[in-house]
Amino acid sequence: MQKEVLINFDRCLGCRSCQLACAVAHSTAGNLFGAILNGEKPRTRIFVHQVGGQKAPLNCRHCEDAPCIDACIAGAMHRQEDGTVTNVGGEQQCTACWMCVMVCPYGVIRSDAAGTMALKCDRECRDEAGVPACVRACPTGALVYAGVDEYSGRRRVDVLARALQQVSGNF
Amino acid sequence: MRFVIAGNSAAGVAAVETLRRLGGRQNHITVVTDEPGETYSRCMLPDLLAGKKTEYSIRLRPPDFYRKLGVELLGGVAAVALQPGEKKLLLQDGRELAYDRLLVATGARPVLPEVPGAEARGVFTLRTLTDARLIASLAPRVSRAVIAGGGLVGLKTAYALKTAGLDGVTVVVTSPRLLIRQLDEEAAALVERELRSAGINFIYNARIKAFVTGSGGDLAGVELEDGRELPAGLAVVAKGVRPNDTLVGEAGGETGKGIVVDRYLRTTLENVYAAGDCIQVTDRVTAQKVSSALWTLAFEQGRYAAANMLGLARPYPAPLTRLNSARFGTVDVISVGRLEGPEVMARYDPLRFTYRRLVFDGERLAGFILAGKVDGAGVYTALVKSGRPAWTYRRQLLEGRAGSVALSNFLTFH
C-alpha cells in the first residue's frame, strides 16, 4: 500500500511545528540556524488553517488524477514510482506559470520567494527511516505517515466536517 | 486492438500515456502528426523567443518517450482524410492507417486577418515550433515589431520580443483595453502598467488595414485603419485560433464550434474519438457551446478519451473553459469562470499588491480574477467548478484568506 501523510484533525493543536520542520527540511542548509545565517527564508509546503476553534494542517494529497499534472504546461509536474506528485527531479523544469496553483483545490502549491518556481510537498524531506519532516515534527500525532484504509479515513475527517459546519452552516 | 492517434501535443500525449497505463502493452498504438519533431510545450514558445528557454528545454517528454512506451510515431506527415466505414486514416504521403479506434487530436490553427499583405515575408503567427524558429531567426535583424492582438498570446509574444532585445514593440488592440476576454479594467491596468514599464507600446481601438511591404518584398510596416503607419520589420498576428475539425467534418462527422463529441468524447462517427483544441465543449458555468482551446483541458480530455477508447466508460464532466494563468514581469494573473454576473465584489490589497475580483451568481462563485500574487487560486477555482455555496466565504475569499475554504474542499474532494 502506498503511504500518505494522513491528518488526524482532532489532534491538531495548531502549534505549526510541521510548518517549521517542512520549511527547514527544504532549505539549502537543512537546519534552522544554518538557513537563517545563510539569509535563507525557508518556505513551508504544509499549511495550518483555522476553522472556528479548530486548527487543521493541510498539505498536498498527491491526488490520483492530479489536476496539477494535467495543467502543467512544461511537463515538469509528474508522478514518481512511489506515488509522489512533484515538479522537481523529472524530465523538465518548472517554469513558474502557476497553472498548477490555479487548479489545486487545496491551495497547497505556492511560489518560491523569488517567484521563479512552484513549491509543493515533494517528500524530499524524508529521513533515514523514510518519515517526512512534518510527521516527524508533529508532537501530538495529528500527522501520520501510513497506508490509507477507508474506515479510518472517515473518522479522521469527521472533526473537521463538524468544525466547518459550525463556521459556515452550509456543510 | 489498433489505436491510431492523430496529433502529438497535449491531448495526444495524454492519450498515449493513458492507453499504456490502463491498457497495458498488448495494444498497437500509432501516433501521426504533421509536425516534424518531438512533442513540445506550445505554451512555452514565447519563452523560446525570449531566449529564456531552448528547444531542448521546452520538450514535453524525453526523446525516448515513444520507444519506451512501444508506440509508433509517424512525424512530419499530415492525416488528410478519414474513411470511417473502412476504419482507415489516409496520410499525405499516400499511406493508409487501419484502426480499431481513432483519436482525433488535431488541435487548432491561428486565424489570419484578411487584409492586404498578410502573406508578406515578416508576418507570422505563433502556434508551432516552426513559427517560433522563423520569428527567432528574423528578430535579431529588425528593430521594430508590431503585434496584432491584445490577448494572452499577443502579450506574451510582445513581452518575449522585448526581452529578446527589440527596440520598438507595439501591440495593436481592437478592443479599448488589453485581455478583454480574461480581465476587468483594473486587472488589465495592472498588466498594462507592467508591460509599459518594460517598454512595450499599446494602441487601442485600432485595426490593421494592411501590411506594407518594402522593395524586396519584406515587411516594411503596418497601416492602421485610421491612416497611421507603424514601421516594422516583423509582425505577429495573435487573433485567436480555429479548431482543426475538417478531418472529421469532411468524413461526415458533426462539427460546430469544433468537432462535436458526446460525454464519452466520441464523435458522431463510429469508433472515432476526439480531444483537445479541435473539439467543441459545453462550458460548466455558462452552459454555452464553445471551442475547448486550453492546454489543461486538452490534457484531461486526452486521458478521458483514452479510457473510453479502452472501453472503461468514463464520462467527461463539463469543463471550465475560461481558465487562464499568465505572468507578465512581476504581475501574475489568474482568471477563471465568468467575468460578469449579478453580484461583483473587487478589492485591491495594498499589502500583498494583489487585486481580487469575485463574481457571484446567487450563493455560487461563478468566476474570479486574481492579479498580483496568485497563491491559493486553486481554492477559488474548485468553488467555481463544484458550484458549492460560497457566499458565506465571500469575505475570506476577497481578503485572500481561503484556509477554511481549502479545508472544505478537502472534505468535498478527498
Side-chain angles (χ1 to χ4, degrees):
Chain A
M1 200 185 316
Q2 281 182 358
K3 283 185 168 183
E4 305 283 343
V5 173
L6 305 176
I7 309 165
N8 290 308
F9 288 102
D10 56 341
R11 290 194 170 190
C12 179
L13 303 176
C15 70
R16 299 184 189 269
S17 300
C18 53
Q19 291 194 185
L20 187 62
C22 172
V24 168
H26 285 94
S27 68
T28 316
N31 67 78
L32 184 58
F33 295 111
I36 288 170
L37 287 174
N38 284 351
E40 274 189 81
K41 289 233 171 86
R43 279 164 97 80
T44 183
R45 296 134 192 251
I46 183 167
F47 305 90
V48 177
H49 298 301
Q50 176 138 14
V51 211
Q54 179 70 38
K55 303 279 207 311
L58 196 56
N59 66 347
C60 174
R61 303 287 91 208
H62 302 273
C63 308
E64 201 169 319
D65 282 334
C68 56
I69 297 181
D70 280 352
C72 182
I73 63 167
M77 196 69 79
H78 65 287
R79 187 184 303 278
Q80 294 174 335
E81 295 274 309
D82 67 352
T84 304
V85 175
T86 176
N87 60 337
V88 293
E91 169 68 13
Q92 287 304 348
Q93 278 195 347
C94 174
T95 180
C97 70
W98 313 140
M99 294 290 278
C100 54
V101 172
M102 177 173 69
V103 297
C104 173
Y106 311 124
V108 292
I109 311 179
R110 64 190 300 200
S111 72
D112 65 349
T116 51
M117 72 175 288
L119 302 180
K120 71 180 292 297
C121 169
D122 53 12
R123 295 176 177 159
E124 292 290 314
C125 58
R126 282 174 288 196
D127 60 17
E128 49 301 331
V131 180
C134 56
V135 174
R136 177 70 74 201
C138 180
T140 63
L143 295 172
V144 180
Y145 193 50
V148 200
D149 81 76
E150 222 156 275
Y151 170 71
S152 67
R154 195 62 248 158
R155 256 191 33 208
R156 280 185 297 113
V157 298
D158 275 350
V159 176
L160 178 61
R162 281 200 299 277
L164 277 162
Q165 195 157 27
Q166 280 162 15
V167 173
S168 64
N170 59 22
F171 236 89
Chain B
M1 202 134 35
R2 282 190 67 93
F3 294 113
V4 172
I5 299 171
N8 186 28
S9 193
V13 168
V16 164
E17 286 175 337
T18 310
L19 284 174
R20 279 290 179 247
R21 185 163 50 85
L22 302 179
R25 301 284 293 199
Q26 75 269 31
N27 299 305
H28 193 277
I29 303 176
T30 304
V31 174
V32 52
T33 167
D34 57 351
E35 294 202 53
E38 298 160 2
T39 181
Y40 58 89
S41 172
R42 212 174 282 294
C43 312
M44 281 162 63
L45 292 175
D47 290 343
L48 194 66
L49 288 189
K52 288 197 287 193
K53 298 272 178 186
T54 61
E55 287 191 20
Y56 186 81
S57 65
I58 68 163
R59 287 173 315 138
L60 197 57
R61 292 292 181 269
D64 57 353
F65 172 69
Y66 288 106
R67 193 182 49 76
K68 269 194 176 158
L69 289 178
V71 170
E72 179 188 19
L73 175 67
L74 306 176
V77 53
V80 290
L82 170 57
Q83 297 175 337
E86 288 79 52
K87 297 207 272 188
K88 272 185 189 161
L89 185 67
L90 308 187
L91 307 187
Q92 196 177 22
D93 59 7
R95 265 182 293 183
E96 295 182 353
L97 290 181
Y99 61 81
D100 295 305
R101 304 252 197 287
L102 170 70
L103 177 66
V104 178
T106 42
R109 63 186 182 283
V111 177
L112 268 173
E114 289 176 10
V115 300
E119 310 300 319
R121 270 207 306 275
V123 181
F124 301 97
T125 54
L126 180 54
R127 179 73 188 174
T128 64
L129 187 55
T130 310
D131 295 334
R133 282 177 186 157
L134 291 171
I135 297 172
S137 70
L138 180 61
R141 292 185 276 127
V142 301
S143 59
R144 276 173 295 208
V146 167
I147 314 297
L152 285 167
V153 174
L155 297 183
K156 283 183 183 177
T157 306
Y159 196 74
L161 289 174
K162 193 71 208 176
T163 310
L166 260 76
D167 250 357
V169 176
T170 303
V171 184
V172 177
V173 188
T174 315
S175 317
R177 58 177 171 81
L178 51 80
L179 293 171
I180 198 140
R181 292 154 68 97
Q182 282 82 23
L183 301 182
D184 65 347
E185 264 177 58
E186 281 81 349
L190 286 175
V191 172
E192 192 200 285
R193 201 165 61 200
E194 188 74 15
L195 292 175
R196 276 196 195 275
S197 73
I200 296 166
N201 305 308
F202 292 91
I203 300 178
Y204 294 107
N205 302 305
R207 283 171 199 277
I208 289 173
K209 190 177 168 191
F211 294 98
V212 185
T213 49
S215 48
D218 293 333
L219 183 74
V222 173
E223 190 185 344
L224 302 184
E225 279 186 352
D226 62 12
R228 271 183 284 183
E229 282 198 27
L230 311 170
L234 169 64
V236 180
V237 178
K239 308 287 275 181
V241 295
R242 294 266 180 279
N244 288 326
D245 54 9
T246 46
L247 200 60
V248 169
E250 284 172 1
E254 196 182 337
T255 60
K257 298 260 167 68
I259 299 167
V260 173
V261 292
D262 67 6
R263 57 206 214 103
Y264 299 104
L265 298 170
R266 290 179 298 205
T267 70
T268 54
L269 302 173
E270 196 94 20
N271 299 311
V272 181
Y273 295 70
D277 290 5
C278 59
I279 72 167
Q280 167 184 293
V281 291
T282 305
D283 184 86
R284 192 183 186 91
V285 180
T286 64
Q288 281 177 339
K289 291 186 180 352
V290 293
S291 307
S292 184
L294 285 176
W295 181 268
T296 309
L297 301 190
F299 226 91
E300 65 183 25
Q301 288 159 10
R303 278 202 291 110
Y304 275 90
N308 286 310
M309 289 163 79
L310 289 165
L312 297 174
R314 287 190 62 192
Y316 177 59
L320 291 174
T321 60
R322 282 200 55 262
L323 195 68
N324 293 296
S325 169
R327 67 182 327 202
F328 300 99
T330 59
V331 178
D332 296 320
V333 286
I334 286 182
S335 168
V336 174
R338 279 164 64 180
L339 274 184
E340 297 293 342
E343 188 84 42
V344 175
M345 14 180 114
R347 181 177 296 177
Y348 183 75
D349 177 349
L351 289 178
R352 288 198 265 180
F353 304 106
T354 297
Y355 173 75
R356 302 188 188 90
R357 175 191 172 97
L358 308 177
V359 178
F360 279 95
D361 187 351
E363 284 271 299
R364 170 178 190 171
L365 183 68
F368 72 91
I369 295 171
L370 302 182
K373 299 270 172 280
V374 297
D375 282 353
V379 176
Y380 299 65
T381 305
L383 282 180
V384 177
K385 204 167 176 181
S386 70
R388 287 186 297 119
W391 182 248
T392 352
Y393 297 123
R394 63 194 177 282
R395 190 173 295 277
Q396 289 109 300
L397 293 171
L398 201 55
E399 290 168 1
R401 298 180 291 108
S404 51
V405 186
L407 289 169
S408 75
N409 284 345
F410 173 78
L411 287 185
T412 313
F413 298 116
H414 196 56

